[in-house]
Amino acid sequence: MFIATANNLSVVPWYQSPTGSLSTTAALAICVLIAVPLFSISRRAIGAYLKTYIQPSPFMLPFNIISEMSRTVSLALRLYGNVMSGAVIAGILISVPPLLFPGSHAASGPAYRCHPSLHLRHPGNGLHRFRQSLGPRSRDKRQ
């Protein structure tokens, strides 16, 4: 419920989702790291739970421990990456209309400054700066 609510509230202007922070997603992943063995031990005995780490052979013990740790890191990074990619895609979609309509004043309205993490200072100047970076056009050169 927390993740769903936090991600759905990220569309509210000036609200930055708590799951957009790697520390929050790491804390949630650590909760999963602790909860999964506890529920497994409560469902069956501790001996049966520990036996799963050495199946099919005792040589699998280090790999199963690494698997548990890597799952925790994977959960944290996947949640963080999904939330941050949504913010990046929103930033890209917000910056496209000024490139298509450079003289439009509607394109520089409050909708383009709604999220502080997007860092869109002057979205209407993107096309002008791009044209300047290309240098003078061939027809502008005097021969």
Side-chain angles (χ1 to χ4, degrees):
M1 288 301 292
F2 171 73
I3 295 172
T5 305
N7 290 342
N8 286 332
L9 285 175
S10 66
V11 297
V12 174
W14 297 288
Y15 178 80
Q16 192 167 3
S17 176
T19 52
S21 168
L22 190 55
S23 60
T24 304
T25 58
L28 292 170
I30 289 171
C31 289
V32 170
L33 175 70
I34 294 169
V36 168
L38 288 179
F39 285 120
S40 182
I41 290 170
S42 69
R43 186 153 198 185
R44 26 186 191 165
I46 192 166
Y49 171 73
L50 293 176
K51 191 182 245 185
T52 62
Y53 279 99
I54 58 171
Q55 288 179 351
S57 73
F59 295 113
M60 294 301 291
L61 178 66
F63 298 113
N64 286 330
I65 292 172
I66 290 171
S67 168
E68 290 291 322
M69 297 300 156
S70 66
R71 180 179 58 182
T72 303
V73 173
S74 172
L75 286 171
L77 292 178
R78 281 176 25 210
L79 179 58
Y80 174 72
N82 288 337
V83 172
M84 290 312 296
S85 68
V88 169
I89 288 173
I92 290 170
L93 291 176
I94 285 173
S95 63
V96 167
L99 294 175
L100 299 175
F101 309 106
S104 172
H105 294 290
S108 62
Y112 291 93
R113 293 183 292 273
C114 67
H115 202 282
S117 68
L118 298 177
H119 303 295
L120 296 173
R121 304 261 189 243
H122 304 287
N125 294 334
L127 185 60
H128 179 68
R129 284 186 295 217
F130 175 72
R131 286 182 184 159
Q132 284 180 338
S133 70
L134 295 176
R137 294 181 287 195
S138 60
R139 67 181 171 151
D140 292 340
K141 293 180 183 177
R142 307 265 168 129
Q143 295 176 346

